Amino acid sequence: MSGNIQLLSDTLAAARSEGRSALIAYLPAGFPTVDGGIEAAKAVFDGGADVVEIGLPHSDPVLDGPVIQTADDIALRGGVKIADVLRTVREAHRATGKPVLVMTYWNPIDRYGIERFTAELAEAGGAGCILPDLPVQESATWREHAGKHGLATVFVVAPSSKDARLAEITAAGSGFVYAASLMGVTGTRASVGAQAQDLVRRTKATTALPVCVGLGVSNAEQAAEVAQFADGVIVGSAFVKRLLASDGDLAAGLAGIRALAGELAEGVRKRS
C-alpha cells in the first residue's frame, strides 16, 4: 500500500486500536461558497472528525436526499468546478494532515478524464474516491489509475446486495467499504435500524477492509448505536442542515458543525 491511501488506512486502524469507530464527515464542495466549504471541512476536523468526504456537486444525484441536494444546488449556482473540489481537498488536507476523500458520481470524472482526475486528486493529497454509481464490473480502468496514484476506491454496498455480490464488490474495493444503512437516499432519520447491522455482518464475512456505515446517522445517540458494530460512522446531512440553518452566517454555521462533530466524536467512543 502506498500514497495517500496509507493515511486513510492508518487513521481507521488507529481508531480501531482505541476501541472505537472512526467519525467520517461528508460536506459538499462549494457550499456555502468554495472558501466557506474549505472552512467547513477544517471545522469538522477540528471538532473531532477523523476523515472527511468532499462531495462533488452533481445536478442529477441518485443517492442524495433533499438536504444535500439543496446544498449542491447552491454550489452549482455558485459555479463550482472540479478544480474547486480539488482545491477543497488540498486545503483541508494541508491544514490538518488528515485523510480527505472525494465522493462523486461517475459522469463528472468520465467527462474530466480518469487519468487527469486521479493524478490531480493524488497531487492534492486526496486519499481516494467514493463512487456510488460506478458498477464494479465497469471499474477496471478507474481502479488501474487510482492504484497507480495511491488512491482508495470505495464502493457502496446496500441491504439488497446478495452475499455473492458483496464478495465481488469488496474484492475490488480498497480503503474501506461504504455500507448504506438502508434502501433510499441520504438524510437524517429517527433510527438507523437493524438492516445496517446485518449488512455490516454480511460484508465483514467477505473482507478484511473496514466497513463504515452511512445514511441516516444524525446525532450522538445514533452514532453510538452504529459504533457498536461498524468500523466507521458516516454523517453528512446533519452537518449540511446546520450550515443551511445558519442562514448565511458562516461563523455561526462553522460553530454549529464544529459542535456537532464534537458530539458525534463522543458518540463513536461510547462502545460497550
Side-chain angles (χ1 to χ4, degrees):
M1 197 182 301
S2 64
N4 306 324
I5 188 177
Q6 186 68 57
L7 175 61
L8 175 64
S9 297
D10 289 349
T11 298
L12 295 172
R16 185 167 59 249
S17 73
E18 294 171 13
R20 66 176 179 89
S21 282
L23 174 60
I24 303 175
Y26 168 93
L27 293 162
F31 170 73
T33 62
V34 175
D35 288 344
I38 291 167
E39 293 307 311
K42 294 177 186 176
V44 293
F45 271 135
D46 188 44
D50 298 289
V51 180
V52 167
E53 304 170 3
I54 298 298
L56 196 161
H58 191 50
S59 58
D60 189 26
V62 295
L63 188 68
D64 298 312
V67 170
I68 290 173
Q69 284 189 38
T70 297
D72 280 2
D73 286 344
I74 291 169
L76 290 167
R77 286 202 305 272
V80 69
K81 301 284 192 294
I82 287 181
D84 300 313
V85 177
L86 295 168
R87 180 183 154 219
T88 302
V89 171
R90 178 181 293 106
E91 297 201 17
H93 172 65
R94 183 181 292 163
T96 64
K98 294 181 178 179
V100 183
L101 300 106
V102 167
M103 187 167 189
T104 179
Y105 298 102
W106 180 245
N107 181 257
I109 292 178
D110 194 37
R111 292 176 59 187
Y112 195 75
I114 300 172
E115 169 57 26
R116 179 185 177 195
F117 184 84
T118 53
E120 292 181 7
L121 179 57
E123 187 276 328
C129 224
I130 302 164
L131 300 159
D133 66 339
L134 177 64
V136 170
Q137 61 270 26
E138 297 174 21
S139 68
T141 302
W142 161 266
R143 287 187 285 123
E144 177 189 344
H145 288 291
K148 183 169 70 174
H149 292 290
L151 298 171
T153 297
V154 178
F155 288 112
V156 178
V157 297
S160 60
S161 303
K162 300 290 189 284
D163 290 353
R165 178 68 173 160
L166 288 175
E168 181 185 7
I169 292 170
T170 59
S174 54
F176 65 90
V177 182
Y178 188 124
S181 65
L182 39 77
M183 302 303 294
V185 296
T186 59
T188 60
R189 287 174 173 83
S191 66
V192 179
Q195 273 190 323
Q197 188 166 1
D198 180 63
L199 176 59
V200 170
R201 178 189 59 77
R202 292 193 299 117
T203 303
K204 282 182 169 289
T206 72
T207 184
L209 288 172
V211 181
C212 304
V213 170
L215 272 68
V217 178
S218 61
N219 57 47
E221 291 73 27
Q222 290 173 337
E225 175 192 348
V226 173
Q228 304 305 311
F229 56 83
D231 298 300
V233 179
I234 303 169
V235 180
S237 295
F239 286 116
V240 175
K241 262 188 176 177
R242 290 222 178 172
L243 285 172
L244 286 168
S246 69
D247 200 26
D249 184 342
L250 181 60
L254 295 177
I257 61 173
R258 188 181 294 110
L260 177 59
E263 295 162 16
L264 293 163
E266 287 186 21
V268 299
R269 285 164 170 79
K270 291 178 181 173
R271 299 182 76 170
S272 57

